[in-house]
Amino acid sequence: MSPDELNLLRKEREVRRNGLLDAIHAIARRSPDVFEAEAEDLIRRSVWQQSGSDPSFSTRLERWLKSEYRFESFASILPHDVRLEPRNVEPPSVEHLDGRHQEIYQALVEKFDGTKEQPRNHHRWDAATRDQFIILGMIALGGKVGERQARLVHYLGLEGPDGHHLRGSNTVRAAKIALTRHVRSRIPGFQDLFAKATGNGGRRQHRFLDLEVATTVAQYVRSHPASMLLPEPPIAAGLS
């Protein structure tokens, strides 16, 4: 690409970013409640996606979002060495996996990315596929601990105004069934992708049946362009 072409590309990207910023300002003025809720999650996801999990900074970020924004700028709480640029996370290596684990992994990749003949783009996912990616990713990132239902429902944006999570819990259940059925359709004799959930209500805990599969899927979703949809894993999460 020539210098003139690079310069033109930079200008086009700058125009687009300014347009997006104007759109955010418009939403903030016209729908302040929506903007406030979405902006907090955008900030959390951006910091996690770019700088990784840092419990100390996460605590400071939560304090800033709650009250310290009145006294400090967001830039002032960022670590001096942080660079909010995309991290290049490599897809998982699957050579060490046995045949069955590789088949499970490839089936899940096909679910979200399609095949060489019929590739899928995450920008064109329908709502159900998007929900399935979030649910799969959050449970995988939770490792051996898994993920609480209340947290899944929260990040799906399905919390009811009265505190009830019926719609959200039904969505989690439907997504797990759809993902398991997809793998079953690709692997003869396959039974379950997820362990039996434990607990009740918002404290219901969801886990992978096989920790090795969870670890591989966690690396896959972190390397995926749609990883921006995922929140930071809970501090208690463990993959070992």
Side-chain angles (χ1 to χ4, degrees):
M1 187 175 290
S2 68
D4 288 342
E5 289 173 328
L6 285 172
N7 190 43
L8 179 61
L9 180 60
R10 291 193 197 98
K11 289 181 179 179
E12 288 177 349
R13 294 189 68 181
E14 185 65 26
V15 169
R16 175 169 171 74
R17 287 168 182 159
N18 287 336
L20 293 172
L21 190 58
D22 286 342
I24 290 172
H25 287 159
I27 293 171
R29 291 192 301 269
R30 299 188 184 188
S31 303
D33 292 339
V34 172
F35 169 77
E36 184 176 353
E38 294 298 326
E40 286 196 5
D41 281 346
L42 173 63
I43 292 169
R44 290 188 184 98
R45 287 198 304 267
S46 297
V47 172
W48 159 242
Q49 171 67 13
Q50 314 306 333
S51 61
S53 179
D54 181 341
S56 176
F57 177 67
S58 295
T59 300
R60 189 174 185 187
L61 173 61
E62 292 304 318
R63 287 202 305 266
W64 184 87
L65 289 170
K66 184 176 182 180
S67 62
E68 292 182 3
Y69 64 86
R70 298 185 182 95
F71 318 110
E72 296 186 79
S73 68
F74 178 69
S76 70
I77 72 168
L78 290 172
H80 295 301
D81 58 347
V82 72
R83 298 186 64 188
L84 294 184
E85 298 177 355
R87 290 180 294 141
N88 295 318
V89 178
E90 291 294 325
S93 172
V94 297
E95 290 78 9
H96 68 286
L97 299 178
D98 62 29
R100 176 52 63 94
H101 285 146
Q102 287 194 29
E103 289 178 335
I104 296 171
Y105 171 71
Q106 293 301 334
L108 292 171
V109 171
E110 180 186 337
K111 171 70 178 178
F112 297 104
D113 296 336
T115 63
K116 289 183 178 180
E117 294 75 23
Q118 293 183 310
R120 301 191 71 188
N121 186 298
H122 69 284
H123 293 299
R124 303 294 300 274
W125 285 347
D126 56 25
T129 303
R130 178 182 178 277
D131 288 347
Q132 289 164 22
F133 181 85
I134 293 172
I135 291 165
L136 181 80
M138 289 182 67
I139 296 175
L141 288 166
K144 63 183 178 183
V145 176
E147 186 59 89
R148 283 186 299 115
Q149 184 157 296
R151 198 164 184 264
L152 289 168
V153 171
H154 171 72
Y155 281 101
L156 290 169
L158 295 176
E159 287 180 301
D162 53 1
H164 294 299
H165 295 168
L166 180 60
R167 182 185 171 200
S169 62
N170 286 341
T171 298
V172 172
R173 179 176 178 272
K176 290 173 65 179
I177 290 172
L179 289 164
T180 298
R181 284 178 175 171
H182 173 79
V183 179
R184 283 177 182 167
S185 72
R186 302 302 191 273
I187 304 175
F190 180 81
Q191 292 298 313
D192 294 301
L193 184 60
F194 301 100
K196 185 177 180 180
T198 58
N200 299 299
R203 294 185 177 275
R204 194 166 179 79
Q205 202 78 10
H206 300 272
R207 303 176 182 85
F208 270 76
L209 187 62
D210 190 310
L211 183 58
E212 188 166 18
V213 174
T215 303
T216 304
V217 171
Q219 182 71 6
Y220 164 68
V221 297
R222 290 183 67 241
S223 69
H224 199 281
S227 61
M228 67 185 70
L229 298 172
L230 301 170
E232 179 178 355
I235 295 173
L239 290 169
S240 60

